[in-house]
Amino acid sequence: MEQMYPLAQACDELDQLVDRVRHGHETIVISDHGGTPATALIPVGELAELRRLQEEADIAEADHRKAEGGPVVMHDAFMAELEAGDAQAAAS
């Protein structure tokens, strides 16, 4: 279940919202002052799963590029490229 809270209300009720996320496995979306979703509170287990899935996607992308015989890219440069792609996808 996902509910949205304006930033000011979320600040006032943060302790309650954290408890709901922690114990009720809810997702709470917090909007900015204009009402646009800006961030979310999610259970830590879901965060770990998101990180694991991102890591798998990064490895799959690296394997794909390697199989295509593409140019060799240093790890730091490759990670920066992936992060830029993630940021661009998040902005869309």
Side-chain angles (χ1 to χ4, degrees):
M1 181 157 116
E2 181 177 298
Q3 294 185 337
M4 187 173 321
Y5 284 80
L7 180 58
Q9 182 180 357
C11 287
D12 291 342
E13 300 176 23
L14 187 58
D15 58 337
Q16 295 169 3
L17 296 177
V18 168
D19 283 343
R20 286 176 49 193
V21 169
R22 179 187 299 141
H23 301 295
H25 303 286
E26 295 182 49
T27 298
I28 305 291
V29 176
I30 301 172
S31 63
D32 61 18
H33 294 292
T36 303
T39 193
L41 300 174
I42 63 170
V44 172
E46 288 183 25
L47 177 61
E49 179 67 5
L50 287 171
R51 287 178 174 162
R52 185 189 66 75
L53 291 171
Q54 185 61 58
E55 182 72 17
E56 286 180 7
D58 292 349
I59 291 168
E61 177 68 19
D63 289 344
H64 175 74
R65 289 183 182 201
K66 184 177 178 182
E68 286 185 334
V72 174
V73 179
M74 298 304 292
H75 179 264
D76 290 341
F78 180 72
M79 292 307 294
E81 186 178 328
L82 288 175
E83 288 172 9
D86 291 346
Q88 183 178 10
S92 326

